[in-house]
Amino acid sequence: MPTVITHTAVAVAAGMAFGPKEVPSHFWALAIACSVIPDADVIGFSFGIPYGHFFGHRGFFHSPFFALCLSVFVLCFFFRGLEIFSRQGFFYLTFFSLLTASHGLLDAFTNGGLGIALLSPFDSARYFLPWTPIEVSPIGIDAFLSRWGLMVIKSEVLWVWLPCSAIIMVSKFIRAWVVK
Ligand SMILES: [Zn+2]
């Protein structure tokens, strides 16, 4: 997995680039939560759930289907009073779905661990993308505080932080000069 900080960076970049000018106060907390929540499945290791299990790490909770379910939940519980089929409701539904799904997709760019169950629950196969430039992050802080951790940070800065910064700058330019 890319680190929690990098998934958070994606949430902040997505919110800044694509979010409306005025957002409710809980928008940022929800955006960050959606981008990192799939990794809560590592808890399964403590309960004896194997890595390759349906609910194992990088399993169902990393799928776009789960992302859609989580997004519906977020809308129902944190955006009460907002009509899902309104323009704004559709925006938030799409935003939180894509943001949560971005987690599994980013993990599929990593070069280690088991693949991601991108088609779960319909197909439990684990997938990587054909191009995997992101160094996989070790699970556990001890392993992270090593040379491996440094390589992870380097690859995440190059392949995630820089593109995120570019997206923020382009969107700021478009908002300032094109869409006034
Ligand atoms: Zn993950």
Side-chain angles (χ1 to χ4, degrees), residues 1-2 7 35-36 38-42 57-58 62 103-104 107 116:
M1 57 174 181
H7 286 300
S35 70
V36 300
D39 274 344
D41 62 10
V42 292
H57 182 43
R58 292 183 156 185
H62 277 60
H103 181 117
D107 281 5
I116 321 303

Side-chain angles (χ1 to χ4, degrees), residues 41 156 169 177:
D41 62 10
E156 290 184 8
M169 282 191 282
W177 300 99

Side-chain angles (χ1 to χ4, degrees), residues 117-136:
L118 291 172
L119 301 180
S120 185
F122 311 105
D123 170 10
S124 294
R126 302 296 189 98
Y127 296 94
F128 281 110
L129 290 169
W131 185 53
T132 53
I134 302 176
E135 190 68 35
V136 72

Side-chain angles (χ1 to χ4, degrees), residues 20 22 24 75 82-93:
E22 308 267 314
L75 243 73
L82 186 68
E83 182 65 53
I84 281 197
F85 295 104
S86 65
R87 198 185 144 125
Q88 222 186 358
F90 185 70
F91 166 78
Y92 283 120
L93 186 72

